[in-house]
Amino acid sequence: MSLNNSSNIFLDSVPSNTNRFQVNVINENHESSAAANDDTDPPHYEETSFGDEAQKRLRISFRPGNQECYDNFLQSGDTAKTDASFHAYDSHTKTYYLQTFGHNTMDAVPKIEYYRNTGSVSGPKANRPSLLEIHEQLAKNVVVAPSSADRVANGDGIPGDEQAENKEDDQAGVVKFGWVKGVLVRCMLNIWGVMLFIRLSWIVGEAGIGLGVLIILLSTMVTSITGLSTSAIATNGFVRGGGAYYLISRSLGPEFGGSIGLIFAFANAVAVAMYVVGFAETVVDLLKESDSMMVDPTNDIRIIGSITVVILLGISVAGMEWEAKAQVILLVILLIAIANFFIGTVIPSNNEKKSRGFFNYQASIFAENFGPRFTKGEGFFSVFAIFFPAATGILAGANISGDLEDPQDAIPRGTMLAIFITTVAYLGVAICVGACVVRDATGNVNDTIISGMNCNGSAACGLGYDFSRCRHEPCQYGLMNNFQVMSMVSGFGPLITAGIFSATLSSALASLVSAPKVFQALCKDNIYKALQFFAKGYGKNNEPLRGYILTFLIAMAFILIAELNTIAPIISNFFLASYALINFSCFHASYAKSPGWRPAYGIYNMWVSLFGAVLCCAVMFVINWWAAVITYVIEFFLYIYVTYKKPEVNWGSSTQALSYVSALDNALELTTVEDHVKNFRPQCIVLTGGPMTRPALLDITHAFTKNSGLCICCEVFVGPRKLCVKEMNSGMGKKQAWLIKNKIKAFYAAVAADCFRDGVRSLLQASGLGRMKPNTLVIGYKKNWRKAPLTEIENYVGIIHDAFDFEIGVVIVRISQGFDISQVLQVQEELERLEQERLALEATIKDNECQEGSGGIRALFKKAGKLNITKTTPKNDGSINTIQSMHVGEFNQKLVEASTQFKKKQEKGTIDVWWLFDDGGLTLLIPYILTLRKKWKDCKLRIYVGGKINRIEEEKIAMASLLSKFRIKFADIHIIGDINIKPNKESWKVFEEMIEPYRLHESCKDLTTAEKLKRETPWKITDAELEAVKEKSYRQVRLNELLQEHSRAANLIVLSLPVARKGSISDLLYMAWLEILTKNLPPVLLVRGNHKNVLTFYS
């Protein structure tokens, strides 16, 4: 199944709805352009109207022929000083729309001061406006102080017409959590569970306060080390569905991810049973108190647990939108319950509570309970196995890292703080309950001390109660016997019950949701093909209903055990196995020095992670050696299985990284040297899709990156993840081989994303290694933007914004015929396939004829079946039918010829560089590099720069000096002094007609109607917006007039790309600017650097 975003083949029509979006410049109405009749005439492009006024405007050219008059000046090594007293409005032409170039924008024109070093003796260093300043929204009431004049073009202010808008809102429906609500609250809710309320007192009774604290600290050490490892892994990339499995598998490969995925999902499924049994035990205890038992305690736990898990399953399947909002409420209930316990410890105890063993804080009780007193069959590690599940839940925040505002900050801070807070709470409860409650109590208020009785050191005896009979017969109260000690001690018992209910149910519900999600993500990746059945999702949220049923069955099986003490060790074993693998994964990734291992969280150590992994493994054996052996065998088997099956995924892993150690050594040596402007070179991400589908875009980029810079051909796959990943991986080698075969020194990279913009954003952030990291994004111009869906336009303009946000330069290339030739390639592949099938069938028939008496016609059908010769099914696309009867060479010959125009040696001519805004020099550097290539060596540079009309000569001299210092040869310099003059009426009318279908015209409607239209069509161009940027629109139209006048005969035009300020310029208006700016011209490169120097005149 092809996911290419291509429409009807051979037809220039509106693109069809497809599954993958690429930078498409196909299916547009190709503008007519004819070749020149002779070498002297320029190519005939579509005419644009010019008035007489345009012909009378001032034009001054600087040519090498009259450069001698400037020789003495150039030898001085400096440029003419700018007349600071000259005002921007000091002009000799019409003044209403005529403003000195650069005055009505913060964009700076090229000046030598921007390229000086600090402290230069030849003059002061000036700072150009940063890309952030001209790209982000303009703040309200901005006042430019006189001292900041150098930061604004020509020493003037900023446009007074521009007004700030509110910061862009997040996409509708997307909820992002901060570190408190997203990580801290969730982790605390999952860590604080049933153990806190109904088992911690028993643990203190068995192990004593001393060993109880040690058990808590040992558990905390395991979880803290794992938390550090998880934080490192979670900050090594963003995660969608799958939680810890997604983090591990994407960071370290399918071998580790596949083994941990099943174990982690199963552990969460069993955790559902543990939490539900804890809830059921509490309910059963309440039934005992009210004498309302149904059968017996064990079977009642099974009945209540089964009913509870069925209800939870129904809630999970119905939807969990309320869960996020309920997190804070549940946490408040837990905090109140815990506070209620601490308050209860200082409330004077009554006789009933004293008879049950509660005497408030007593030093004698603390001393008596400090040491251990294990009952038969219990020991330190068995008690540890019971408690350890209470420390789990640290991955709750990492599991939703894709929904966090800043996961690199939220996961480490929230997880580690949650571990600290919950540990303090556990320690506080353990110490307090150990200092207040004795181990055994009868509950009989009459069991008081008889006068003259010997206490034998018993704390209860010293406090007036005789619980000595508990040594010979079972008692119902005290730390060792009563699981509801916290309810008894608390100030208000029902609050503890409410805390138990909220803690157990919230944890059970979270695990019931988490396990299917992790399991679904694992199955979607098709690591285990036999489990593909569970990958299917249902509904708009892609709910894993099949996974819910499987989790439900697993939970029910363990609920039927009905013993929390039996379930807890199993949970401990599986979670310890998961934690061990997480820690080992962090260690292995660090040790292997994988280039993809770049965690933003730096507070981790590979050896500490290794120690954590070893500690987890040791604890597993101590808790239950045979269960540990089985767990290790399962892990090892899964790892070997995944390794040998080699699933069709390519996420990169630490094991793969070992084979690149030698190459990485050179890369590491390169990173020891700081970047220097003299060594700058364009390192480009080119959005070609498949490299063979847009050869012209790749050729022009390769022309200025070959042998000097990095070039990565990028493709974004959008659609069903399984199909996208499979197609991406299957075509990776083929497309890289195509680059090698065509001698193109470039890499191929592809990503699968939910939308095109997300994919490009991932490429911009993650591409490259060390110093070899892309700094320039190259895309084709979207010619069909007027017919394309709004989402495509938003994605297209959005990736330009994203590139600027990441401080990456942008190059937009436009040619008259467009770039995409995927339709031609599809025709060729179809014809080749049919030819191969024909040859195969002929060979089969011939072989059958050569065989005598061996099956006859039956053998023919058998062989044909082996060759998989099938009947070709016509597609619904009408153009496909045309393919069968049409030769490829007859299809859109102009498009085919245009796709090879940059492969040919360019005829003698010019490359016109319109360096209108100072972007650091990239606009000048790219055409200069082109002139060094054999195919472009006959093209000379002509430089066009905006300037002030009454300072033409001075600015020409300054630019000539600057270019000479840069050692860049040029043929001409043109200073254009009337860029901001209002364009001709005919040209402006063309622009107005272009944007008319997209205008809102709210000023012509009443306020209510206008507001309604704005809500219904927020993408339309408002009258207020159009008026606010009217002068900028004038400039784009006017520039096209100037380009038509000066550069229609150029081989290539390199032009400063206008920047659309986020939130101020709508996507459609920006596309209209680019359209009118580059309309009816030779090939155009719209270039905007990242406003950091890429040129220098220092040695």
Side-chain angles (χ1 to χ4, degrees):
M1 175 178 178
S2 177
L3 298 175
N4 289 320
N5 184 23
S6 58
S7 66
N8 296 344
I9 300 178
F10 301 137
L11 298 180
D12 294 329
S13 59
V14 180
S16 60
N17 293 327
T18 49
N19 291 327
R20 186 197 312 159
F21 297 91
Q22 300 177 351
V23 178
N24 287 331
V25 285
I26 63 172
N27 304 324
E28 301 96 1
N29 293 324
H30 299 155
E31 302 170 34
S32 59
S33 61
N37 294 330
D38 53 68
D39 294 337
T40 60
D41 293 333
H44 296 286
Y45 294 94
E46 192 173 303
E47 289 290 338
T48 301
S49 300
F50 295 98
D52 295 335
E53 178 185 356
Q55 304 298 331
K56 297 177 182 178
R57 290 172 185 150
L58 180 61
R59 299 288 181 272
I60 297 180
S61 298
F62 175 77
R63 300 180 180 275
N66 56 356
Q67 188 174 353
E68 291 78 12
C69 62
Y70 304 109
D71 285 347
N72 294 332
F73 177 83
L74 298 179
Q75 291 174 1
S76 66
D78 210 332
T79 62
K81 296 181 179 180
T82 303
D83 186 3
S85 63
F86 173 74
H87 195 276
Y89 287 106
D90 188 7
S91 170
H92 300 295
T93 57
K94 298 180 180 180
T95 59
Y96 183 76
Y97 290 104
L98 173 58
Q99 297 176 348
T100 301
F101 181 73
H103 173 71
N104 60 341
T105 177
M106 288 186 68
D107 250 341
V109 296
K111 293 174 62 177
I112 192 173
E113 288 79 9
Y114 297 141
Y115 298 89
R116 297 189 190 279
N117 286 341
T118 303
S120 173
V121 296
S122 59
K125 174 179 174 59
N127 295 319
R128 73 176 63 84
S130 68
L131 186 61
L132 184 66
E133 289 173 339
I134 67 169
H135 185 225
E136 292 291 341
Q137 285 183 309
L138 196 63
K140 293 182 179 180
N141 302 323
V142 173
V143 177
V144 180
S147 60
S148 64
D150 282 336
R151 297 184 56 78
V152 185
N154 294 332
D156 297 318
I158 60 176
D161 295 334
E162 294 183 274
Q163 299 181 1
E165 296 180 4
N166 293 329
K167 187 177 181 180
E168 295 181 55
D169 296 329
D170 291 335
Q171 295 179 357
V174 176
V175 178
K176 295 292 184 181
F177 299 108
W179 71 273
V180 175
K181 188 175 181 181
V183 180
L184 179 63
V185 171
R186 293 175 182 272
C187 287
M188 290 173 65
L189 281 172
N190 279 267
I191 295 173
W192 279 334
V194 63
M195 291 297 177
L196 176 63
F197 296 103
I198 64 176
R199 281 296 184 273
L200 188 56
S201 59
W202 176 84
I203 289 170
V204 173
E206 290 282 346
I209 296 175
L211 290 183
V213 169
L214 183 61
I215 288 173
I216 295 173
L217 293 179
L218 179 60
S219 301
T220 301
M221 182 170 64
V222 174
T223 56
S224 296
I225 295 174
T226 307
L228 294 174
S229 301
T230 303
S231 298
I233 296 173
T235 57
N236 193 47
F238 295 99
V239 63
R240 292 194 290 272
Y245 157 73
Y246 193 95
L247 292 173
I248 299 299
S249 61
R250 266 52 177 184
S251 298
L252 307 176
E255 296 83 6
F256 287 102
S259 59
I260 196 175
L262 282 179
I263 294 175
F264 189 76
F266 186 76
N268 276 278
V270 178
V272 176
M274 186 193 74
Y275 295 127
V276 170
V277 168
F279 169 77
E281 281 189 355
T282 306
V283 176
V284 169
D285 288 340
L286 294 176
L287 293 177
K288 285 181 180 178
E289 294 178 2
S290 61
D291 195 20
S292 302
M293 297 293 294
M294 292 178 286
V295 185
D296 57 69
T298 301
N299 286 318
D300 282 3
I301 290 175
R302 291 170 178 160
I303 294 171
I304 295 172
S306 300
I307 295 173
T308 302
V309 78
V310 169
I311 295 174
L312 293 179
L313 176 66
I315 295 174
S316 301
V317 172
M320 296 299 298
E321 290 81 2
W322 61 270
E323 183 184 16
K325 298 180 181 179
Q327 294 292 334
V328 176
I329 298 176
L330 292 174
L331 180 61
V332 169
I333 295 175
L334 283 175
L335 292 175
I336 292 175
I338 295 172
N340 179 47
F341 164 77
F342 287 111
I343 293 172
T345 59
V346 297
I347 297 176
S349 178
N350 54 34
N351 291 334
E352 182 181 1
K353 290 186 176 182
K354 288 181 180 180
S355 66
R356 296 183 179 184
F358 173 53
F359 295 93
N360 297 111
Y361 293 103
Q362 300 293 336
S364 59
I365 296 179
F366 181 87
E368 184 180 78
N369 291 340
F370 188 82
R373 199 178 86 185
F374 295 110
T375 56
K376 185 178 180 180
E378 299 294 347
F380 175 82
F381 289 105
S382 65
V383 174
F384 172 80
I386 300 299
F387 173 78
F388 183 78
T392 61
I394 62 171
L395 298 179
N399 284 341
I400 64 164
S401 60
D403 298 319
L404 300 175
E405 291 179 357
D406 186 4
Q408 295 183 353
D409 175 72
I411 291 177
R413 183 188 299 184
T415 303
M416 301 312 295
L417 184 58
I419 293 174
F420 174 77
I421 293 174
T422 53
T423 300
V424 171
Y426 278 128
L427 290 174
V429 172
I431 294 173
C432 290
V433 77
C436 296
V437 184
V438 296
R439 281 189 166 100
D440 295 300
T442 60
N444 190 343
V445 295
N446 296 321
D447 288 342
T448 56
I449 296 296
I450 301 174
S451 178
M453 180 178 179
N454 185 8
C455 292
N456 295 324
S458 171
C461 182
L463 295 171
Y465 280 83
D466 179 17
F467 300 142
S468 58
R469 62 188 178 95
C470 292
R471 300 175 183 175
H472 311 291
E473 60 183 60
C475 292
Q476 296 182 354
Y477 298 98
L479 297 177
M480 305 283 286
N481 311 300
N482 184 14
F483 290 154
Q484 305 299 328
V485 167
M486 287 193 68
S487 297
M488 177 192 69
V489 173
S490 64
F492 185 63
L495 281 179
I496 298 297
T497 304
I500 295 173
F501 288 172
S502 63
T504 53
L505 292 180
S506 64
S507 299
L509 194 56
S511 298
L512 185 58
V513 173
S514 177
K517 295 286 187 182
V518 174
F519 193 61
Q520 183 190 34
L522 175 67
C523 297
K524 278 186 175 181
D525 290 335
N526 204 20
I527 294 179
Y528 305 103
K529 296 185 182 299
L531 301 178
Q532 186 64 25
F533 173 80
F534 296 98
K536 182 176 177 58
Y538 296 87
K540 62 180 181 180
N541 294 327
N542 197 32
E543 293 293 339
L545 299 184
R546 297 174 178 177
Y548 282 132
I549 299 300
L550 179 62
T551 304
F552 167 77
L553 295 176
I554 294 174
M556 282 292 295
F558 282 91
I559 286 173
L560 295 178
I561 297 176
E563 288 292 336
L564 193 59
N565 289 3
T566 306
I567 297 176
I570 300 174
I571 295 292
S572 301
N573 206 288
F574 281 105
F575 274 109
L576 278 168
S578 300
Y579 291 173
L581 192 53
I582 289 175
N583 284 305
F584 179 74
S585 298
C586 183
F587 162 77
H588 193 265
S590 302
Y591 183 77
K593 301 177 182 178
S594 171
W597 177 248
R598 298 183 298 273
Y601 184 74
I603 309 176
Y604 76 97
N605 182 274
M606 56 184 289
W607 302 112
V608 173
S609 297
L610 180 61
F611 172 75
V614 173
L615 182 61
C616 291
C617 296
V619 171
M620 287 174 62
F621 274 102
V622 172
I623 291 176
N624 194 317
W625 69 268
W626 59 266
V629 170
I630 294 175
T631 302
Y632 286 129
V633 169
I634 293 174
E635 278 194 36
F636 183 75
F637 171 78
L638 293 176
Y639 182 87
I640 297 299
Y641 173 82
V642 175
T643 301
Y644 280 93
K645 293 297 290 185
K646 295 181 181 179
E648 296 178 353
V649 293
N650 186 17
W651 302 322
S653 66
S654 55
T655 53
Q656 294 174 350
L658 294 176
S659 62
Y660 294 95
V661 171
S662 59
L664 286 177
D665 288 339
N666 293 331
L668 290 173
E669 290 179 8
L670 184 62
T671 60
T672 61
V673 181
E674 293 293 331
D675 286 331
H676 194 281
V677 63
K678 289 195 300 183
N679 294 324
F680 177 87
R681 59 200 68 213
Q683 302 194 118
C684 300
I685 282 183
V686 195
L687 298 184
T688 58
M692 63 284 292
T693 60
R694 293 174 176 82
L697 182 62
L698 179 57
D699 290 339
I700 188 62
T701 307
H702 188 242
F704 59 82
T705 59
K706 181 180 180 181
N707 297 328
S708 63
L710 179 69
C711 181
I712 306 177
C713 303
C714 296
E715 187 171 8
V716 178
F717 292 82
V718 178
R721 179 165 186 81
K722 176 186 174 183
L723 297 177
C724 287
V725 172
K726 185 175 182 179
E727 182 179 1
M728 180 177 67
N729 290 323
S730 63
M732 196 76 71
K734 175 183 177 182
K735 292 168 183 177
Q736 186 65 52
W738 184 90
L739 293 172
I740 297 173
K741 179 180 179 181
N742 289 271
K743 298 181 179 180
I744 297 176
K745 296 184 178 181
F747 298 95
Y748 172 77
V751 294
D754 293 333
C755 72
F756 175 69
R757 183 178 179 182
D758 286 344
V760 176
R761 187 185 291 118
S762 299
L763 290 168
L764 294 175
Q765 296 178 89
S767 297
L769 174 64
R771 301 296 184 193
M772 296 182 294
K773 196 171 184 65
N775 52 36
T776 307
L777 171 67
V778 182
I779 57 178
Y781 177 69
K782 190 173 186 64
K783 282 188 62 179
N784 67 333
W785 64 273
R786 281 178 276 188
K787 298 180 180 179
L790 287 173
T791 53
E792 290 188 16
I793 300 174
E794 291 174 0
N795 283 335
Y796 184 82
V797 178
I799 64 173
I800 299 176
H801 287 305
D802 292 336
F804 290 150
D805 287 338
F806 301 138
E807 294 190 340
I808 293 177
V810 175
V811 177
I812 301 177
V813 187
R814 179 174 186 178
I815 59 177
S816 59
Q817 298 296 328
F819 292 104
D820 198 310
I821 61 168
S822 57
Q823 293 88 351
V824 178
L825 298 178
Q826 290 178 14
V827 173
Q828 292 175 340
E829 291 176 359
E830 181 72 11
L831 294 178
E832 289 175 0
R833 185 185 65 82
L834 292 175
E835 180 65 16
Q836 290 175 358
E837 289 185 355
R838 184 186 64 82
L839 294 176
L841 183 59
E842 289 178 355
T844 302
I845 295 174
K846 184 176 180 180
D847 292 342
N848 183 72
E849 291 176 350
C850 295
Q851 295 178 356
E852 297 179 359
S854 59
I857 193 68
R858 181 179 301 175
L860 172 62
F861 284 117
K862 183 176 180 180
K863 290 188 177 184
K866 290 182 179 180
L867 290 172
N868 195 25
I869 300 176
T870 58
K871 181 179 179 180
T872 303
T873 303
K875 299 183 180 179
N876 294 333
D877 192 343
S879 61
I880 298 295
N881 296 328
T882 311
I883 296 174
Q884 311 298 331
S885 59
M886 189 176 190
H887 191 272
V888 178
E890 299 174 358
F891 163 66
N892 205 339
Q893 187 64 28
K894 291 183 179 180
L895 179 60
V896 176
E897 293 176 356
S899 67
T900 61
Q901 61 179 302
F902 297 124
K903 293 181 182 293
K904 306 173 183 176
K905 181 177 176 58
Q906 301 298 307
E907 298 180 357
K908 187 174 182 179
T910 63
I911 298 177
D912 287 0
V913 182
W914 290 71
W915 195 17
L916 303 178
F917 302 114
D918 194 331
D919 60 350
L922 186 65
T923 306
L924 185 62
L925 180 62
I926 288 178
Y928 167 73
I929 296 175
L930 285 175
T931 60
L932 302 179
R933 309 303 183 192
K934 291 182 179 180
K935 294 177 181 178
W936 293 87
K937 67 178 182 179
D938 293 333
C939 297
K940 306 300 180 183
L941 293 183
R942 291 195 303 184
I943 311 298
Y944 292 83
V945 182
K948 302 175 182 179
I949 291 180
N950 62 343
R951 292 180 55 82
I952 296 294
E953 291 298 328
E954 292 87 344
E955 295 188 5
K956 187 193 312 179
I957 294 172
M959 181 53 60
S961 174
L962 179 60
L963 294 176
S964 297
K965 288 178 181 295
F966 286 151
R967 302 171 302 282
I968 292 178
K969 296 180 180 180
F970 56 91
D972 297 303
I973 292 180
H974 298 264
I975 306 299
I976 309 299
D978 55 355
I979 290 179
N980 281 327
I981 292 178
K982 187 176 180 181
N984 292 325
K985 294 181 179 179
E986 293 83 356
S987 301
W988 181 249
K989 183 178 180 182
V990 172
F991 178 75
E992 287 184 325
E993 292 175 351
M994 183 187 302
I995 65 175
E996 179 61 30
Y998 315 110
R999 293 188 60 181
L1000 191 63
H1001 290 294
E1002 79 278 8
S1003 60
C1004 301
K1005 301 174 179 62
D1006 60 86
L1007 183 61
T1008 303
T1009 305
E1011 291 298 328
K1012 180 180 178 182
L1013 289 175
K1014 287 181 181 180
R1015 290 192 301 269
E1016 293 176 350
T1017 56
W1019 48 269
K1020 283 198 172 184
I1021 305 171
T1022 64
D1023 294 341
E1025 175 192 1
L1026 197 58
E1027 184 64 27
V1029 296
K1030 194 170 187 177
E1031 294 182 7
K1032 292 186 179 181
S1033 299
Y1034 282 152
R1035 184 190 304 155
Q1036 314 312 321
V1037 180
R1038 176 64 186 139
L1039 280 172
N1040 182 259
E1041 294 178 350
L1042 295 171
L1043 289 164
Q1044 295 283 352
E1045 181 178 348
H1046 290 273
S1047 300
R1048 287 183 60 216
N1051 296 60
L1052 180 69
I1053 298 174
V1054 181
L1055 176 65
S1056 292
L1057 172 67
V1059 175
R1061 195 178 294 274
K1062 289 195 298 186
S1064 299
I1065 308 299
S1066 61
D1067 295 341
L1068 289 169
L1069 180 58
Y1070 186 62
M1071 292 304 300
W1073 282 1
L1074 300 184
E1075 175 70 26
I1076 198 65
L1077 182 61
T1078 59
K1079 186 178 178 62
N1080 304 323
L1081 291 172
V1084 178
L1085 269 63
L1086 294 166
V1087 181
R1088 173 68 70 156
N1090 64 358
H1091 283 231
K1092 295 180 181 178
N1093 287 353
V1094 301
L1095 295 172
T1096 183
F1097 46 79
Y1098 292 99
S1099 60

